[in-house]
Amino acid sequence: MHLDPQLMRTIALAFFILLVFSSRMSKGSVKQTPEGPAFPIKPLFAISRWLLLIVYIGLVASLSIMHVSKVPPVWVLAILVAVIALVVSRMPGTIVLTPTAVVQRFWFFKEKQIPYIEVMAVSVSQAGRATRVMGSNRVTILHTPNHSAAEAFRSELELRTGKKAVL
């Protein structure tokens, strides 16, 4: 079966547009953990990142096999590893509201933490979808549109810090 490149581009574009709109419309949910409420990234966003990564790996592998027919060149593998590292490192960390602090945990980076008493300001941007928590310890935690339950995060944060979110 031969796939037309124009058809593949159209399908990919339609899938991308569907993904963007559906990820904006989904709210996600708060996960209750022993430490407190957790705000992970939306499942649709995580699935799209992993799917994009798999498609990219498949594309590079198929192109290198078609043109080289043996082992892909080292530079192709280096670019592939760099792209995988970039995609995984850019994943937003899970935010947890512990009894004493706002904590953001990442896969490969050090966690960020702001004790509630050190929260200086809470600002809202991007039409109410992103919330930035700034601490006096020079740490900033960003609840992006890709995180779950933006309204629940803001209300719980206002309750725990006593700071009103500013637009």
Side-chain angles (χ1 to χ4, degrees):
M1 179 174 141
H2 179 69
L3 293 175
D4 180 31
Q6 183 63 33
L7 177 65
M8 292 298 289
R9 279 193 292 270
T10 305
I11 291 171
L13 183 62
F15 180 72
F16 177 74
I17 291 171
L18 177 70
L19 215 55
V20 167
F21 284 119
S22 61
S23 69
R24 296 284 186 220
M25 287 187 262
S26 69
K27 294 185 184 216
S29 61
V30 180
K31 304 256 192 284
Q32 292 299 330
T33 64
E35 292 179 301
F39 300 87
I41 60 173
K42 296 175 188 174
L44 189 61
F45 179 72
I47 290 168
S48 68
R49 280 276 175 111
W50 288 111
L51 189 63
L52 181 67
L53 196 60
I54 290 168
V55 167
Y56 183 74
I57 291 170
L59 179 67
V60 169
S62 67
L63 287 176
S64 64
I65 288 173
M66 280 192 279
H67 293 293
V68 178
S69 76
K70 292 186 182 177
V71 178
V74 174
W75 65 270
V76 171
L77 294 176
I79 289 175
L80 184 62
V81 168
V83 166
I84 291 170
L86 182 69
V87 168
V88 171
S89 70
R90 296 297 301 161
M91 294 282 272
T94 299
I95 300 172
V96 180
L97 299 177
T98 68
T100 58
V102 182
V103 179
Q104 188 170 21
R105 296 190 177 107
F106 300 93
W107 282 15
F108 298 110
F109 297 114
K110 182 179 166 187
E111 74 179 25
K112 295 179 178 181
Q113 182 171 342
I114 305 173
Y116 295 127
I117 58 172
E118 292 184 17
V119 171
M120 290 185 348
V122 178
S123 67
V124 179
S125 62
Q126 293 184 3
R129 292 191 306 250
T131 304
R132 184 179 308 272
V133 183
M134 293 162 279
S136 60
N137 58 355
R138 297 182 181 243
V139 173
T140 300
I141 293 177
L142 183 64
H143 185 282
T144 67
N146 300 322
H147 282 97
S148 298
E151 288 297 323
F153 175 74
R154 261 192 302 283
S155 64
E156 187 68 28
L157 190 63
E158 288 176 353
L159 182 68
R160 291 174 184 239
T161 63
K163 305 273 190 219
K164 192 79 173 151
V166 178
L167 294 174

